[in-house]
Amino acid sequence: MSESVVKVPEVFNAVTVFVDRHVAEGRASKTAIHYEGQRITYQQVLEGVNRVGNFLLDLGIEMENRVLLLLLDCPEFVYSFFGAIKAGAVPIPTNTLMKPQDYLYFLNDSRAKVAIVSEALVGNIEAVRGELKYLKHLVVVGNAGPDQLSFQSLFDTASPKLEAVETSKDDAAFWLYSSGTTGFPKGTVHLHHDMVVCAEYYAKGILGIGENDLTYSVAKLFFAYGLGNGLYFPFYVGASTVLNPHRPEPQRIFETIDRYQPTLFFCVPTAYAGLLAVEGAEQKYNLSSIRQAVSAGEALPKALYERWKERFKSEILDGIGSTEILHIFISNRPGQSRPGSSGQIVPGYQAKIVDENGNPVPDGEVGSLWISGDSIALMYW
């Protein structure tokens, strides 16, 4: 499929599709997020998004200004990510496992004027705050200290009504920093239409996601993989997501599945191996709700696939994605998985394997994988 079949209007703010639309279509009272025993509805999400968008505008954020998000997986992440986009700003979800010097780099490189940070992580920013050239406001989810703003106070006093800023489908919507395997991490600039493309081609086209699904992703929201799995995939179709702020340890993953009964489970091979190491888990925990398990992030060994299917009775769909392309572009198909294979090209993308001069290599020879598709980042910052 060489032609893009996803039609997005020229004037387009992604939040109108991923948030606003669900209330307009009658899903206001439907649970959007399961979080630590709470159920948060689409109406609450809409109001939360609007409140964050408004308080960012009140803090002086303008179109295209960057807003760094250093947040554990929580409802405030959702409100901040979509709230910034709705206000015309550009959120940057950031890896929560880095060191202060990394955040110094991210903040100075992106020139973010505002950072929204979980209380447990704010020490990483304070450690380098004197070296930050552009940061004006440090907003803390939790207890704010000196020279910090309280997310909750700003949130409570902001208006729950906000019209989406008029943006183009090709405007920058958010950045994700690459893992920096070749030098410093690079800011990959994603556009307003990119999430729609991935949700349409992969989440709907391959997984068949619908509004009755419940997603749970072991990969966190700051990863490109987790951002789709746990946020914009379910929010594209009016489904529900389970968010968990804790470290993804095997027992906690099993308990989360057992408690919430997700239908789509997204994981990575290392974590699948950790789950398989738990003896007697198939007797102790109920995984029968999972209609599809997914793996990405690294190659899934054939042995892991087979052991998982034998013990937990669900097929794992392995695939390849990247920060630059935003989500999975090569994937196995439900009911047709080939263990040890990364699958077939996802419709909507094109692939070729080439030599160092860009010429296609014969079958069976090693080369570099080239991908084209409409969700690829505009550029590196």
Side-chain angles (χ1 to χ4, degrees):
M1 189 186 297
S2 58
E3 292 292 312
S4 172
V5 297
V6 176
K7 299 296 183 209
V8 178
E10 285 298 323
V11 176
F12 178 72
N13 186 305
V15 180
T16 60
V17 165
F18 290 94
V19 180
D20 300 22
R21 174 173 65 93
H22 298 303
V23 173
E25 291 178 0
R27 285 183 280 276
S29 61
K30 184 175 179 191
T31 299
I33 301 168
H34 294 270
Y35 176 76
E36 301 281 85
Q38 302 173 50
R39 290 171 177 258
I40 295 158
T41 65
Y42 272 101
Q43 179 68 39
Q44 289 172 295
V45 169
L46 174 64
E47 291 180 6
V49 166
N50 290 347
R51 286 179 187 275
V52 174
N54 279 317
F55 85 55
L56 287 172
L57 293 170
D58 290 342
L59 290 175
I61 285 294
E62 298 176 326
M63 287 272 285
E64 300 179 18
N65 285 177
R66 269 77 68 185
V67 177
L68 189 98
L69 308 183
L70 182 57
L71 294 167
L72 303 172
D73 284 16
C74 59
E76 291 85 356
F77 185 114
V78 179
Y79 307 153
S80 300
F81 179 74
F82 283 132
I85 294 173
K86 193 169 188 178
V90 181
I92 307 174
T94 308
N95 190 326
T96 59
L97 306 172
M98 308 293 268
K99 300 284 191 288
Q101 287 300 314
D102 298 306
Y103 301 122
L104 173 65
Y105 171 77
F106 295 143
L107 283 160
N108 283 345
D109 183 65
S110 67
R111 304 176 191 150
K113 293 182 179 178
V114 175
I116 303 178
V117 183
S118 291
E119 181 186 352
L121 303 169
V122 76
N124 290 303
I125 306 298
E126 287 292 358
V128 294
R129 198 162 179 188
E131 300 171 71
L132 298 174
K133 299 175 185 175
Y134 307 102
L135 187 72
K136 293 182 177 176
H137 302 289
L138 180 56
V139 180
V140 178
V141 175
N143 294 311
D147 296 323
Q148 299 171 359
L149 298 174
S150 162
F151 179 95
Q152 197 62 49
S153 296
L154 293 169
F155 187 87
D156 290 343
T157 54
S159 169
K161 292 184 165 48
L162 176 66
E163 287 296 315
V165 167
E166 194 173 283
T167 48
S168 154
K169 69 182 177 70
D170 297 323
D171 270 326
F174 61 98
W175 295 10
L176 295 167
Y177 273 92
S178 70
S179 53
T181 45
T182 53
F184 281 110
K186 294 179 281 291
T188 59
V189 179
H190 280 287
L191 309 179
H192 275 262
H193 71 267
D194 290 359
M195 291 185 288
V196 175
V197 172
C198 293
E200 194 68 44
Y201 284 147
Y202 178 74
K204 285 181 77 172
I206 303 299
L207 301 180
I209 194 171
E211 65 177 302
N212 295 323
D213 276 307
L214 174 59
T215 68
Y216 170 45
S217 176
V218 170
K220 298 298 189 181
L221 293 175
F222 66 76
F223 290 113
Y225 179 48
L227 187 68
N229 307 340
L231 186 52
Y232 67 82
F233 286 175
F235 275 57
Y236 188 61
V237 294
S240 306
T241 184
V242 177
L243 297 184
N244 191 314
H246 307 292
R247 286 180 65 86
E249 293 155 351
Q251 184 177 339
R252 187 171 274 138
I253 295 169
F254 277 128
E255 288 170 352
T256 302
I257 296 170
D258 190 71
R259 177 179 185 179
Y260 292 104
Q261 296 290 291
T263 56
L264 292 169
F265 175 57
F266 300 88
C267 198
V268 296
T270 305
Y272 278 117
L275 293 169
L276 285 164
V278 178
E279 290 185 18
E282 59 270 46
Q283 281 83 43
K284 187 175 180 183
Y285 303 105
N286 179 9
L287 274 66
S288 63
S289 64
I290 297 172
R291 69 171 182 83
Q292 197 66 69
V294 178
S295 182
E298 55 191 288
L300 179 72
K302 182 179 179 183
L304 266 185
Y305 172 97
E306 290 170 343
R307 285 168 55 211
W308 179 269
K309 191 165 188 186
E310 180 186 342
R311 282 183 63 186
F312 298 109
K313 312 307 179 201
S314 63
E315 167 191 54
I316 301 176
L317 290 191
D318 193 17
I320 300 176
S322 78
T323 304
E324 289 81 357
I325 297 166
L326 191 55
H327 212 276
I328 290 172
F329 52 85
I330 292 175
S331 174
N332 280 276
R333 303 295 193 268
Q336 302 169 35
S337 279
R338 184 182 293 178
S341 145
S342 52
Q344 299 168 295
I345 192 79
V346 172
Y349 296 93
Q350 292 176 292
K352 59 183 178 180
I353 299 174
V354 299
D355 62 21
E356 57 197 23
N357 298 314
N359 301 311
V361 299
D363 285 359
E365 290 195 16
V366 173
S368 296
L369 178 64
W370 281 13
I371 299 290
S372 67
D374 209 16
S375 68
I376 295 174
L378 173 69
M379 62 179 182
Y380 289 123
W381 175 246

